[in-house]
Amino acid sequence: MTKGHGRIETRAIWTSTDLVGYTTFPCAAQVFCIERPVTTLQGTPKHHEIVYGITSLSPVRADAARVLTLNRRHWGIENRLHWVRDVTFDEDRSQVRTGAGPQVMASLRNLAITLLRLAGCTNIAAGLRRCARHVTRPLRLLGFAI
């Protein structure tokens, strides 16, 4: 159970290997079902989600608790990288659309995010503004002694 953002979310997971022989999904070792009822802080139901998934991790490598943890960590990646690229860099409105340009720009954005995170920056937008104000900071992040 987690409490935050004005809600309480409870998670339950069920895993099984029973369907593995019936699916043609490559490398399937387990299937799982995660149930997430969400209520307000006062206990009023908000919504109820049930999601299904397939994993290549065997029950020996990942029991139900581990599968649930890995599923939760996926959103950490979404929030720490994709959200920053979508919102801070406004990637969806990029005018670069042909050839290798989009891949190169995505790589440069990832590089900037990684360098700022390695430098201890928790707010990428603030880190970018700081680098924009002081021209030597980005060079230092890239390893150039100035």
Side-chain angles (χ1 to χ4, degrees):
M1 180 172 72
T2 57
K3 181 179 175 182
H5 304 285
R7 64 181 182 244
I8 298 171
E9 186 173 328
T10 308
R11 289 172 210 80
I13 185 167
W14 296 270
T15 60
S16 174
T17 58
D18 293 343
L19 298 177
V20 172
Y22 294 101
T23 180
T24 58
F25 200 89
C27 302
Q30 291 186 83
V31 294
F32 60 89
C33 172
I34 299 174
E35 183 178 24
R36 292 188 290 248
V38 178
T39 62
T40 64
L41 294 176
Q42 294 76 29
T44 307
K46 275 184 105 170
H47 63 274
H48 187 236
E49 296 176 332
I50 297 176
V51 296
Y52 300 94
I54 299 172
T55 180
S56 62
L57 297 172
S58 69
V60 173
R61 290 185 57 210
D63 62 1
R66 176 85 173 128
V67 173
L68 186 59
T69 299
L70 291 170
N71 181 265
R72 291 282 295 155
R73 286 189 182 160
H74 160 78
W75 291 108
I77 296 167
E78 180 66 30
N79 292 334
R80 285 183 52 88
L81 178 62
H82 300 294
W83 187 87
V84 171
R85 284 175 49 182
D86 290 344
V87 175
T88 303
F89 286 100
D90 203 11
E91 191 173 56
D92 291 341
R93 291 195 312 154
S94 173
Q95 298 290 316
V96 181
R97 291 190 172 87
T98 59
Q103 186 173 356
V104 169
M105 291 304 298
S107 296
L108 290 171
R109 290 181 194 105
N110 286 342
L111 174 65
I113 293 166
T114 301
L115 290 173
L116 288 168
R117 295 256 190 245
L118 288 172
C121 184
T122 56
N123 183 326
I124 299 301
L128 289 171
R129 287 190 297 271
R130 188 170 178 217
C131 284
R133 285 192 301 270
H134 305 279
V135 90
T136 59
R137 282 193 179 127
L139 296 172
R140 276 187 270 150
L141 286 175
L142 287 167
F144 297 105
I146 294 183

